[in-house]
């Protein structure tokens, strides 16, 4: 969670910027930096650690000037080093930039810029922005920023200055707060109003897609047109060598977890940093009931979230699907909060439920992938899952981003309540290991493809699981039916005997999710019920469990993790299984019939 600061005016800039950084430092930071401009000279100083370290480096420098920018960094991309601290500069040391947010497509941009000859000195996502602006700079900074922003995907609050366009700050915002304070003789910019209040009487809160050009005399704001989501199918080349986007996106599932947790885990404090919730953190302390609303795959993530939030944050939680919630007469009070989970942030049913809750005056939070989407704009606060673009109609990697975010939200709310430090540490450190464990699961892809060959001609499937993996059974079934057009049902293992068992025979295989957790023995009993009626069973079990082989037909192994986090590993083989079955059956995996990626109609 970073913070930016900027000043242009008649006073000495450095003390105002340093004060701005100090006032914004309550959320924690690990390094800092400033650039001060005098005439057309820019001087940049950065330091690792506390602001005092930066102050020591500034001592004796006599850094005078009337415009400049500053930054405090909380490491997300790259270690805590001076090279990774902001502000960054371009190859000509002309443009300097500080950033609060995340650039999701920085890898692609960086590859292109390196090929074009740009030299990078950091491991950060941010540095691409300054080189991209350099590429378009022809003497007018705001013009170059405007062109560069068209290529940047993600969230940003930028402050930017240039030696060759002096006495000017350009500020731009998308989904990261950015404010401008106005006085008779100066402008002050910050991510947080606390840094502006002592210095300005009027304040402008920049909106998404707005770019402000600030000079000594003037403040000029333009709003770029909000880009629309393209429904066009991108080029084959973007599949990165995979035959389908869906397979590429499943292979990106470890990265989706990594992106969601990057820079947000505080292992020593047994806690998480979710900057998007800062503005409502005190309100969240008073919440005593949660209603999660979502549709389809996102609703299964919400159901896993329900188990997590009740068990670890100890908040009564319920889940509803958007299409039902909007027509219910929900009983809520001011201590209820609504949490909306959506990849696209544009799902009509979920948005209608959001509107309904807002009308009742309830606090609303979004867990959303698409930056600047309707859900992200309409909720009071929220957390981006940062899963990157999901092209295939069937949602896969976004689901992993949602689960990781719900796990972090559980720690956030839990630590505000009774969750002990040791428990917080345990969850957060296990979460940190998950991307690597998820990579291990993907290694079984060839084995899962073999299983898909063996089972593809069956017409009906059960998926069963219990507790945290009951929603994963539903997700496994949904994925299989939507892309392979086979009949599949997901059901909690304990429910089978209440009716569904009647369908079991040798032609009705079951995928049973049975990791070695608190309900393992119960799952084994459910598997025995199926085997006794001749049903074939594929188990998803924990590595090292050799016994399970004695009772089922096939086993896919996943590594051990905390019970609440197992869904992030157990769902991966199910996504792969559905993919391979559908691909082997020759279906258009990325564009299944009758379905659309973003369901913007009721
Ligand atoms: C299933 C799938 C859908 C979506 C649902 C909600 O693979 O993609 O079930 O999960 O339509 O979409 P979002 O998450 O965009 O609200």
């Amino acid at each position: 969670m970073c913070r930016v600061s900027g000043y242009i005016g008649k006073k000495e800039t450095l003390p105002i910027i340093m004060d701005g950084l100090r006032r914004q430092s309550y959320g924690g930071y690990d390094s800092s930096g400033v650039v001060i401009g005098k005439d057309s000279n820019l001087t940049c100083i950065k330091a690792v650690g506390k602001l005092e370290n930066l102050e020591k480096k500034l001592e004796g420098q006599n850094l005078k000037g009337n415009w400049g920018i500053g930054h405090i960094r909380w490491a997300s991309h790259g270690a805590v080093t001076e090279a990774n601290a902001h502000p960054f500069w371009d190859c000509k040391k002309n443009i300097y930039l500080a950033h609060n947010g995340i650039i999701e497509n920085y890898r692609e941009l960086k590859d292109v810029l390196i090929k074009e000859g740009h030299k990078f000195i950091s491991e950060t996502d941010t540095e691409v922005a300054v080189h991209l602006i350099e590429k378009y700079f022809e003497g007018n900074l705001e013009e170059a920023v405007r062109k560069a922003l068209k290529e940047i995907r993600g969230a940003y609050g930028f402050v930017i200055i240039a030696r060759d366009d002096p006495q000017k700050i350009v500020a731009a915002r998308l989904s990261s707060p950015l404010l401008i304070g106005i006085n008779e003789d100066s402008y002050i910019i910050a991510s947080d109003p606390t840094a502006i209040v002592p210095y300005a009487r009027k304040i402008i809160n920049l909106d998404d897609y707005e770019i402000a050009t600030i000079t000594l005399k003037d403040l000029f704001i333009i709003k770029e047109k909000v880009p629309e989501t393209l429904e066009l199918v991108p080029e084959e080349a973007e599949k990165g060598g995979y035959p389908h986007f869906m397979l590429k996106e499943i292979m990106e599932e470890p990265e989706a977890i990594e992106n969601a947790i990057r820079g947000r885990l505080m292992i020593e404090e047994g806690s998480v940093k979710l900057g998007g919730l800062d503005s409502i953190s005190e309100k969240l302390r008073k919440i005593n009931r949660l209603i999660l609303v979502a549709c389809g795959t996102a609703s299964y993530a919400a159901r896993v979230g329900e188990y997590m939030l009740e068990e670890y944050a100890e908040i009564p939680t319920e889940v509803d699907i958007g299409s039902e919630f909007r027509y219910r007469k929900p009983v809520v009070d001011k201590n209820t909060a609504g949490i909306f989970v959506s990849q696209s942030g544009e799902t009509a049913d979920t948005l209608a439920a959001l509107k309904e809750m807002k009308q009742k005056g309830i606090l609303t939070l979004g867990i959303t992938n698409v930056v600047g989407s309707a859900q992200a704009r309409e909720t009071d606060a929220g957390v981006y899952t940062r899963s990157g673009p999901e092209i295939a109609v069937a949602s896969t990697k976004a689901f992993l981003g949602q689960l990781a975010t719900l796990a972090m939200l559980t720690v956030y709310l839990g630590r505000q309540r009774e969750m002990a430090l040791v428990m917080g540490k345990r969850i957060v450190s296990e979460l940190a290991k998950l991307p690597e464990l998820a990579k291990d699961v993907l290694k079984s892809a060839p084995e899962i493809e073999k299983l898909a060959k063996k089972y593809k001609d069956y017409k009906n499937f059960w998926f069963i699981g219990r507790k945290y993996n009951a929603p994963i059974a539903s997700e496994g079934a949904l994925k299989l039916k939507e892309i392979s057009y086979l009949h599949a049902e997901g059901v909690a293992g304990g429910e089978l005997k209440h009716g569904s068992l009647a369908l079991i025979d040798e032609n009705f295989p079951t995928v049973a999710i049975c990791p070695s957790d608190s309900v393992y023995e119960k799952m084994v009993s459910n598997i025995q019920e199926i085997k006794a009626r001749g049903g074939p069973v594929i188990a998803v079990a924990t590595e090292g469990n050799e016994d399970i082989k004695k009772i089922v037909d096939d086993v896919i192994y996943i590594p051990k993790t905390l019970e609440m986090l197992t869904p992030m590993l157990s769902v991966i083989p199910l996504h792969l299984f559905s993919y391979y079955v559908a691909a082997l059956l020759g279906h258009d995996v990325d564009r299944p019939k009758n379905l659309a990626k973003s369901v913007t109609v009721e």
Side-chain angles (χ1 to χ4, degrees):
M1 200 174 31
C2 304
R3 292 285 181 258
V4 301
S5 190
Y7 174 83
I8 181 160
K10 299 254 165 73
K11 299 195 180 75
E12 268 312 319
T13 302
L14 184 62
I16 298 176
I17 290 198
M18 290 303 288
D19 188 48
L21 295 180
R22 183 159 296 100
R23 285 173 188 276
Q24 298 182 91
S25 63
Y26 59 88
Y29 64 98
D30 51 47
S31 50
S32 57
V34 292
V35 189
I36 303 297
K38 186 172 168 57
D39 306 325
S40 57
N41 285 327
L42 298 180
T43 312
C44 180
I45 312 272
K46 310 201 258 186
V48 166
K50 296 270 162 228
L51 275 168
E52 288 74 38
N53 298 351
L54 180 64
E55 269 162 355
K56 271 199 203 108
K57 287 184 100 177
L58 288 164
E59 266 167 30
Q61 296 265 352
N62 198 21
L63 217 56
K64 301 254 182 246
N66 70 319
W67 96 106
I69 57 173
H71 187 268
I72 45 176
R73 173 175 189 244
W74 175 267
S76 62
H77 297 64
V80 180
T81 61
E82 212 170 289
N84 288 334
H86 303 214
F88 291 102
W89 51 81
D90 63 336
C91 301
K92 299 189 192 82
K93 289 208 163 182
N94 167 32
I95 302 161
Y96 288 78
L97 165 151
H99 171 216
N100 169 25
I102 181 165
I103 299 178
E104 288 171 357
N105 59 335
Y106 80 99
R107 285 211 187 102
E108 294 95 299
L109 293 172
K110 192 167 175 175
D111 287 348
V112 174
L113 288 162
I114 288 174
K115 277 193 198 122
E116 289 173 358
H118 291 261
K119 298 268 178 294
F120 284 77
I121 54 161
S122 81
E123 307 153 275
T124 64
D125 54 332
T126 299
E127 200 185 357
V128 298
V130 79
H131 289 279
L132 200 59
I133 297 167
E134 175 183 21
K135 175 172 164 176
Y136 293 115
F137 186 82
E138 287 173 351
N140 180 310
L141 184 60
E142 62 270 30
E143 199 46 41
V145 171
R146 209 174 57 78
K147 287 182 183 156
L149 291 183
K150 288 193 194 319
E151 294 180 33
I152 288 176
R153 245 188 2 247
Y156 50 76
F158 282 128
V159 283
I160 312 153
I161 57 178
R163 182 194 59 211
D164 296 344
D165 192 3
Q167 312 277 339
K168 181 189 273 182
I169 300 179
V170 175
R173 168 201 153 127
L174 177 60
S175 301
S176 288
L178 200 57
L179 305 117
I180 306 170
I182 308 170
N183 252 338
E184 298 77 43
D185 60 354
S186 58
Y187 296 95
I188 176 156
I189 306 149
S191 311
D192 193 308
T194 49
I196 293 184
V197 173
Y199 297 99
R201 281 187 285 126
K202 290 190 195 141
I203 198 161
I204 291 178
N205 198 343
L206 276 192
D207 274 338
D208 281 348
Y209 300 105
E210 282 187 340
I211 303 172
T213 305
I214 309 151
T215 63
L216 277 172
K217 293 199 200 89
D218 222 349
L219 163 69
F220 185 68
I221 298 175
I222 56 160
K223 182 155 185 139
E224 284 293 304
K225 226 169 159 261
V226 178
E228 288 177 15
T229 310
L230 293 178
E231 290 293 346
L232 298 175
V233 177
E235 298 299 315
E236 287 298 304
E238 288 182 35
K239 288 184 193 151
Y242 291 101
H244 296 101
F245 280 107
M246 184 176 173
L247 184 57
K248 174 175 180 267
E249 286 160 9
I250 297 171
M251 293 299 173
E252 287 168 354
E253 288 186 337
E255 206 178 319
I257 305 173
E258 205 169 326
N259 285 341
I261 62 176
R262 180 177 291 126
R264 289 170 164 170
L265 305 184
M266 301 198 290
I267 297 184
E268 280 315 304
E269 291 90 333
S271 189
V272 295
K273 245 176 198 305
L274 299 173
L277 302 186
D278 276 355
S279 60
I280 57 156
S281 74
E282 284 316 306
K283 286 187 184 157
L284 283 171
R285 277 182 205 282
K286 299 193 188 104
I287 293 300
N288 59 20
R289 181 179 166 214
L290 296 171
I291 304 179
L292 276 78
V293 182
C295 298
T297 286
S299 77
Y300 303 138
R303 275 175 47 203
V304 176
E306 177 185 15
Y307 283 98
M308 292 176 179
L309 287 157
E310 292 211 319
E311 183 166 1
Y312 291 99
E314 295 182 48
I315 306 174
T317 305
E318 67 191 90
V319 178
D320 205 349
I321 48 174
S323 55
E324 280 303 303
F325 185 86
R326 62 190 297 184
Y327 295 115
R328 263 171 64 187
K329 297 273 174 286
V331 181
V332 289
D333 64 22
K334 62 176 181 8
N335 293 326
T336 306
I339 304 181
F340 298 82
V341 186
S342 172
Q343 187 286 124
S344 62
E346 301 290 349
T347 299
D349 287 326
T350 309
L351 289 176
L354 169 59
K355 201 167 158 201
E356 179 66 24
M357 277 213 209
K358 285 189 81 167
Q359 247 163 27
K360 293 181 187 300
I362 291 169
L363 186 67
T364 58
L365 274 73
I367 294 182
T368 319
N369 189 33
V370 177
V371 172
S373 57
Q375 179 173 292
R377 291 197 307 270
E378 299 295 321
T379 38
D380 294 311
V383 185
Y384 282 118
T385 56
R386 308 170 176 167
S387 315
E390 198 179 60
I391 309 291
V393 163
S395 188
T396 52
K397 64 173 178 172
F399 184 66
L400 277 290
Q402 290 162 353
L403 292 176
T405 306
L406 283 159
M408 289 188 290
L409 182 66
T410 302
V411 175
Y412 184 96
L413 296 174
R415 294 288 284 137
Q416 279 189 333
R417 291 166 177 75
E418 301 295 316
M419 186 188 285
L421 170 68
V422 47
M423 179 51 77
K425 269 190 177 178
R426 210 162 146 225
I427 300 175
V428 171
S429 40
E430 286 299 315
L431 251 175
K433 292 182 203 151
L434 270 187
E436 284 309 310
L437 300 184
K439 281 184 200 158
D440 286 346
V441 180
L442 287 175
K443 289 183 191 146
S444 329
E447 258 172 75
I448 297 170
E449 188 174 10
K450 275 189 208 142
L451 285 180
K453 278 188 189 133
K454 177 172 167 186
Y455 286 94
K456 73 177 181 4
D457 296 319
Y458 287 90
K459 299 289 175 242
N460 300 290
F461 287 83
W462 282 118
F463 284 75
I464 62 167
R466 297 185 79 138
K467 206 175 168 186
Y468 285 100
N469 282 297
I472 299 306
S474 304
E475 165 62 4
L478 177 68
K479 212 89 319 167
L480 188 65
K481 56 188 150 191
E482 70 176 316
I483 56 168
S484 70
Y485 317 139
L486 298 175
H487 170 234
E489 300 279 349
V491 66
E495 265 298 287
L496 273 183
K497 58 184 176 295
H498 296 291
S500 309
L501 216 45
L503 288 171
I504 298 283
D505 64 19
E506 65 283 6
N507 296 316
F508 211 132
T510 299
V511 179
I513 312 156
C514 53
S516 305
D517 60 11
S518 66
V519 286
Y520 174 71
E521 300 297 335
K522 309 280 169 206
M523 275 299 296
V524 169
S525 306
N526 299 143
I527 292 171
Q528 302 282 20
E529 289 158 7
I530 297 166
K531 289 308 300 173
R533 286 152 185 89
V537 175
I538 308 169
V540 177
T542 304
E543 273 163 12
N545 178 359
E546 293 298 317
D547 285 349
I548 194 79
K549 285 187 179 159
K550 296 180 196 144
I551 48 172
V552 302
D553 300 80
D554 293 286
V555 189
I556 306 166
Y557 284 110
I558 57 169
K560 178 101 189 124
T561 181
L562 274 188
E563 180 173 84
M564 71 174 265
L565 304 179
T566 47
M568 276 182 261
L569 301 180
S570 61
V571 77
I572 299 175
L574 306 192
H575 283 169
L576 282 169
F577 183 74
S578 305
Y579 168 76
Y580 285 123
V581 169
L584 288 164
L585 293 175
H587 297 311
D588 185 351
V589 177
D590 287 335
R591 279 171 300 183
K593 65 180 184 196
N594 308 338
L595 299 177
K597 179 70 185 157
S598 189
V599 189
T600 54
V601 291
E602 187 177 352

